[in-house]
Amino acid sequence: MVLHPPPHQHEQFILKSALYSRLLVLSLTITWRILASPYDSSAPLNLPCLTANHTHTHTLPQSQTLLLPKLASALENGIVWDSVYFVRIAQCGGYEYEQTYAFLPLLPISISFLSRFLSPIFAPFVGHRAVLAFSGYLICNVAFVFAALYLYRLSMIILKDPEIALRATILFCFNPASIFYSSIYSESLYALLSFAGLYYFVKGGNNLASLFFALSGCARSNGVLNAGYLCFQTMHRAYNAMFQQKRTALALGTVIAGALRSVFVFAPFVAFQAYGYYNMCKGRLPDELRPWCKARVPLLYNYIQSHYWGVGFLKYFQLKQLPNFLLASPVLSVALYSVVYYAKSRPENFFSLGFRTSIEEKSSGVVFLSDDFYRSKKAGNVENSNLTKRKKVTEGAVGEVHMAEPATRPGYFSACVLPFVLHLAFMAATAFFVMHVQVATRFLSSSPPVYWFSSYIMAHPTKYHRWGYVIWAYSAAYIFLGSLLFSNFYPFT
C-alpha cells in the first residue's frame, strides 16, 4: 500500500481512514446479518432485571408499540457474545451474577451514562435496550477513531518517521480484530486509553499517563500491565541516579514516585475486586460462601476466568483446540517475529533490558531516559556527536542491521522501542500459554509493536515484497470472516 498525503495532512488522513474503516466493518456486519442466519437467535431476548433498582427508566408500556420496530430489532440483534453482558450490566445498573464480574465496569458505565441522554428522545422509537445498544456502538466506534489518532502521534515520537508511523496506523485501522472494535466490546476504549497514556508517557507527562493507564484497567484487566512502563522507567532512572549521578536521595525519590504511580494504576482494578467481594461474600453464611471468598487472597476475577471459562496455564493445550491455535497463529507469528527481530538486531540492548545502551542513544529516547542527567549529556556531547556521526544503515538478511558505529538507530530499532517489545512479549506469552488462544487476535491488536514491525517490513518492498501482501491479505480475510461469523453468533476469536 502506497500512502501519499503530505506529513501535515497525516492526522486528517488517519481520522478519515479510521472513520471509513468503521463504516466498512459496520456495513459488512449489516450485510452478513441480512444474508446469513444466526447460529443463536436469542440476541433479542430481554429478561427482567433481578432488582427493581436499575436504570431502565424509559421502558414503554406493554400496550404501546415501537415506532421503528425494524430498527430496534436490528440494533438488538447486534447484542451478541460479550455484548450481552455489557448491555445487561448497563441496563440493570449492576452485576447480577458471579460470572458477570469478568466484565469490567468502564464500558457499561459509559453506555448507561450516554443512554440517559438518548433514551428520552429515542426510546419511544426503538425501546430502551436498543438505545443502550446504539450508545455502545457509538462509544466504541468513536473511541476507535481517537485511538487511531493517538497511535499515530505515539508512533511519530517513537519511530521518528512519518511514513512508517502513518502506515502502522492505517494497519491498525484495518486490523484483523476490527469487528471487535466496531462492536459493543471493551477493545476500543482500552486501545484509546492505552495509546493516550503511552503518548503522554513518552511526552513526559507521567501523572496524566498514570490516569489513562488506570482507566484502561477499568476497561480491560490487562490494562494493569501498563504499569510495567512506569516500572521500567523507574528502574532506569533510579539506576542512573544511584550509580551515574551518585545521588541516593534522588534515586529513593524516583522509586517512591514510580511505586505510587504503579499503585495508582492498579487501584481501580483492585477496587473492583473489593466491590465484587463485598457483593458476593459479605453477609453470607459460611455454607453459602463461594470457594474464592474463603481464599487468603480472594481474587474474584481469577476464579471466574478459571471456573467459568477454563482459563489457566496450559489448560488449552488439547488436541481439540488445534483449530483455535491455527486461528491465532498469524498474530502470534507476527508478535514472535516482532520480538525476535528486535532481539537479534539489538541483542545488547534487549538482553540487558536497556542498561547497556549508549549514552548518545539514551539521550534521544523519550520513554525512560528523559531525566536531568541525560538532558545534560545531550546538551553537552550528543548534539555535537550527532553532527559528526551520520551513519548509513545497510540491511542484509532478516535480523541483521549493519551500522558503521553505535549511533542512534532509527525506527523500529530505536532503544525506546524496547519497553514496548517487552510488553508485547509478555502479552503474547500469556495469550499462548494461559488464555483461550484464539483471543490472541484481539488481545494483541492493541500492541503498537505489531503494527510498527509490520510497517517496517512493508517499507522495504525490495526485501520483503511478498510479506506486505500477506499482511494485508490476512487483515482483509479476518475482517470479512469476523464480520460474518461474529455478527451471526458463530465463534470467532
Side-chain angles (χ1 to χ4, degrees), residues 124-172:
F125 296 91
V126 296
H128 182 67
R129 190 166 185 258
V131 171
L132 290 170
F134 176 77
S135 300
Y137 275 111
L138 183 61
I139 290 168
C140 293
N141 284 274
V142 171
F144 177 87
V145 173
F146 285 100
L149 182 61
Y150 271 113
L151 176 59
Y152 172 74
R153 292 177 177 176
L154 171 67
S155 302
M156 277 292 295
I157 296 174
I158 297 295
L159 304 178
K160 300 179 176 65
D161 187 320
E163 290 302 319
I164 293 183
L166 177 62
R167 187 180 289 105
T169 310
I170 299 303
L171 283 169
F172 171 72

Side-chain angles (χ1 to χ4, degrees), residues 292-446:
W292 67 271
C293 293
K294 305 173 185 178
R296 178 173 298 179
V297 182
L299 289 178
L300 172 57
Y301 186 82
N302 288 0
Y303 175 80
I304 292 172
Q305 291 292 334
S306 175
H307 181 73
Y308 291 98
W309 280 276
V311 173
F313 183 65
L314 299 182
K315 285 187 177 181
Y316 221 58
F317 279 62
Q318 306 172 37
L319 185 60
K320 65 180 181 179
Q321 302 298 346
L322 181 59
N324 287 323
F325 277 90
L326 294 176
L327 188 65
S329 61
V331 72
L332 290 173
S333 298
V334 173
L336 177 63
Y337 277 108
S338 301
V339 176
V340 172
Y341 193 85
Y342 186 91
K344 290 179 66 177
S345 302
R346 302 298 308 273
E348 191 172 32
N349 183 55
F350 182 84
F351 292 105
S352 70
L353 298 181
F355 283 106
R356 300 185 66 179
T357 305
S358 65
I359 296 295
E360 289 84 356
E361 187 165 7
K362 285 180 177 181
S363 64
S364 65
V366 290
V367 176
F368 56 90
L369 301 160
S370 55
D371 57 8
D372 293 335
F373 171 75
Y374 285 109
R375 287 197 193 100
S376 63
K377 283 287 185 180
K378 184 174 183 179
N381 300 322
V382 177
E383 186 173 351
N384 293 331
S385 175
N386 287 340
L387 292 175
T388 58
K389 295 182 179 179
R390 302 293 184 185
K391 309 305 174 196
K392 181 179 180 181
V393 181
T394 58
E395 302 176 44
V398 174
E400 297 182 70
V401 177
H402 308 288
M403 302 186 71
E405 295 186 33
T408 301
R409 295 189 178 186
Y412 191 70
F413 303 109
S414 170
C416 51
V417 174
L418 177 61
F420 297 90
V421 172
L422 295 175
H423 183 271
L424 171 61
F426 183 83
M427 296 263 288
T430 302
F432 184 74
F433 291 109
V434 179
M435 300 171 58
H436 290 186
V437 71
Q438 69 271 24
V439 179
T441 302
R442 56 189 174 97
F443 186 64
L444 302 179
S445 64
S446 55

Side-chain angles (χ1 to χ4, degrees), residues 210 227 230-231 233-234 252-264:
S210 299
L230 297 167
C231 294
Q233 179 194 66
T234 300
L252 181 60
T254 299
V255 171
I256 293 175
L260 290 175
R261 292 189 182 107
S262 298
V263 169
F264 181 77

Side-chain angles (χ1 to χ4, degrees), residues 28-37 488:
L28 287 172
T29 300
I30 294 171
T31 301
W32 289 129
R33 283 180 187 159
I34 294 173
L35 297 179
S37 299
N488 285 291

